[in-house]
Amino acid sequence: MAAYLCPPAVIHGRHTVKTSQIVAEVRERHPHAPWAPRIDGIAASTGIETRGWMLPLETAVAPGEGSGLAAGVGAAREALARDGFAEPDVDRVIASLEAIPVPQTVQERTAPAWAAVRSYGEQAARGALQIAGLDPADVDCLITSNSTTPALPGLDVALADRLPLRQDAMLLPATQWACIAGTRSLALAADLVAADPDRVVLVVIAEALSTTYQPADDTLESLIVRLLFADTAVAAVVTGRPRPESVLRLDAAWHHTLPGTQDLHRLETRADGTHFVMDRRGPRAVQETVTAMWEWLRTRHQDDPGSWHADVLLAHPGGTRVLEYMEQTMPDGWPSGLLDHSRDSYTSGNRGGAAVFDILRRAHDRGLEPGSRAVLYAAAPGLTATALEGEWL
């Protein structure tokens, strides 16, 4: 399994949203929530001061275009008249109901985000091809992922038209990979180029995670979701033969799925849009996949147990708690600081499926010695994980 990865293109959300803005909006909307007195401490514990969104905060918190008259003006007038209300009173009641703000609908939340995902995805795709010294016509296969803005046709077809790609290019959309999109797309790309080393695979991941910002939710989990997520589009080229632009050789992949964990993290589509639901048992389950990954690496290098170690660990385990667990459980003798790039990425938000590419880009920009041994890891709702091992070129 030798696959070669060119440096990724990373397009951050251009609208800067400060944690202080989110705290102010939530405090005003939910002043009596049980967690309200602790909101400043909760926000500070994330370590995130700003994040980039594809759309501004005002778009997420704006009311919908409808009104409190879900049944319609005519039906409301008839009901009031039947109950004996005089016409002037009916007019006042109708006016009051029409003034009640209502949440945005799924369409109102998703449509502008989907447009942004396509635009950002195209920017990332063009950037990755430019970095690799290739043209859209050189692409044999396109792998895409975008979990928070489902659409049919999807991002793959949109990019095939926009770039444009050859008509015989293979399109492989994976809309439900979520946080694992970075590592799993690379594993799939590696399999594709192993079957045909002359293939050129373009991976594009565009996530508008800000669509999960739901103003009406007053749960502690919803507060944390508001504070964590950032919007990002990333893309990279994978080839079966080394190119002058290649920076990482991928040598092996590992997959792991925990049974009975599908409800720990999930997206739910409701009348007002997409909600990300978290269970507090989630981090412990993610830790189980980390333990399994250490065992995979131990077995893979059991003939050289004393000297092999990773020189960089590009990990998206979903949060800083699991990063701490990874540091605590690393094999004995591994150097410190392997997760520095991962921690740096988290300071500006959880990027979901785009995170590993963002972390990889940070490692590339800061420079790694050729021959450095790299491990890429991500876990996602399911609960499932994928890791890759390779060498920096």
Side-chain angles (χ1 to χ4, degrees), residues 294-319:
W294 296 147
E295 178 61 20
W296 168 64
L297 290 170
R298 186 197 67 79
T299 303
R300 179 166 163 76
H301 296 284
Q302 59 186 341
D303 293 335
D304 192 16
S307 61
W308 191 91
H309 62 77
D311 296 301
V312 63
L313 182 55
L314 312 175
H316 175 63

Side-chain angles (χ1 to χ4, degrees), residues 216-271:
D217 280 2
D218 63 356
T219 65
L220 176 60
E221 289 75 19
S222 178
L223 169 65
I224 294 171
V225 167
R226 288 172 166 92
L227 293 167
L228 288 184
F229 286 144
D231 296 347
T232 316
V234 295
V237 168
V238 180
T239 57
R241 305 186 193 281
R243 297 181 55 78
E245 300 83 3
S246 301
V247 294
L248 178 64
R249 188 189 70 239
L250 302 173
D251 296 323
W254 166 88
H255 306 283
H256 191 76
T257 301
L258 290 175
T261 57
Q262 60 181 316
D263 292 331
L264 296 186
H265 303 92
R266 63 191 185 276
L267 285 179
E268 291 184 354
T269 301
R270 305 175 189 169

Side-chain angles (χ1 to χ4, degrees), residues 11 14 23 52 58 98 135 152 200 287 304 337 353 381 384:
I11 311 296
R14 66 183 181 88
V23 168
E58 292 76 16
E98 288 182 324
D135 296 318
L152 183 67
V200 172
Q287 290 173 8
D304 192 16
T384 184

Side-chain angles (χ1 to χ4, degrees), residues 52-378:
W53 283 3
M54 294 181 184
L55 301 170
L57 176 61
E58 292 76 16
T59 300
V61 302
E65 296 181 0
S67 71
L69 283 170
V73 173
R77 283 188 174 277
E78 291 178 7
L80 291 169
R82 284 197 303 269
D83 284 346
F85 283 81
E87 187 170 344
D89 293 330
V90 170
D91 291 339
R92 284 194 294 272
V93 172
I94 293 297
S96 297
L97 290 173
E98 288 182 324
I100 297 174
V102 297
Q104 296 180 44
T105 64
V106 174
Q107 174 68 11
E108 288 170 335
R109 284 303 303 271
T110 303
W114 172 231
V117 162
R118 286 176 288 175
S119 175
Y120 275 71
E122 180 184 356
Q123 292 177 58
R126 292 188 181 279
L129 289 171
Q130 183 177 17
I131 290 169
L134 297 170
D135 296 318
D138 297 316
V139 175
D140 300 299
C141 177
L142 171 66
I143 301 173
T144 61
S145 185
N146 62 295
S147 301
T148 49
T149 48
L152 183 67
L155 183 60
D156 58 326
V157 174
L159 293 179
D161 285 344
R162 286 171 176 240
L163 291 176
L165 301 183
R166 301 193 319 266
Q167 293 183 4
D168 65 345
M170 183 192 310
L171 306 182
L172 293 174
T175 59
Q176 294 172 318
W177 274 344
C179 297
I180 211 170
T183 52
R184 192 153 292 179
S185 63
L186 292 179
L188 175 57
D191 286 342
L192 290 168
V193 298
D196 181 356
D198 291 323
R199 272 192 181 127
V200 172
V201 179
L202 173 63
V203 175
V204 182
I205 305 163
E207 289 289 14
L209 297 175
S210 59
T211 56
T212 63
Y213 191 108
Q214 294 297 344
D217 280 2
D218 63 356
T219 65
L220 176 60
E221 289 75 19
S222 178
L223 169 65
I224 294 171
V225 167
R226 288 172 166 92
L227 293 167
L228 288 184
F229 286 144
D231 296 347
T232 316
V234 295
V237 168
V238 180
T239 57
R241 305 186 193 281
R243 297 181 55 78
E245 300 83 3
S246 301
V247 294
L248 178 64
R249 188 189 70 239
L250 302 173
D251 296 323
W254 166 88
H255 306 283
H256 191 76
T257 301
L258 290 175
T261 57
Q262 60 181 316
D263 292 331
L264 296 186
H265 303 92
R266 63 191 185 276
L267 285 179
E268 291 184 354
T269 301
R270 305 175 189 169
D272 57 351
T274 301
H275 295 245
F276 186 74
V277 181
M278 297 190 300
D279 189 295
R280 296 183 185 182
R281 297 170 297 162
R284 181 61 58 87
V286 176
Q287 290 173 8
E288 290 187 39
T289 70
V290 172
T291 302
M293 179 185 66
W294 296 147
E295 178 61 20
W296 168 64
L297 290 170
R298 186 197 67 79
T299 303
R300 179 166 163 76
H301 296 284
Q302 59 186 341
D303 293 335
D304 192 16
S307 61
W308 191 91
H309 62 77
D311 296 301
V312 63
L313 182 55
L314 312 175
H316 175 63
T320 54
R321 279 181 58 188
V322 185
L323 285 177
E324 292 169 0
Y325 177 82
M326 295 181 82
E327 288 180 328
Q328 295 165 2
T329 60
M330 280 182 192
D332 293 338
W334 282 27
S336 61
L338 298 187
L339 287 164
D340 287 352
H341 303 298
S342 301
R343 289 189 176 280
D344 182 49
S345 179
Y346 270 101
T347 62
S348 52
N350 181 326
R351 293 174 170 79
V356 166
F357 279 32
D358 175 67
I359 298 166
L360 191 148
R361 182 73 217 194
R362 292 167 190 265
H364 169 266
D365 289 347
R366 291 176 188 174
L368 287 175
E369 290 292 329
S372 296
R373 294 155 292 195
V375 174
L376 289 68
Y377 163 89

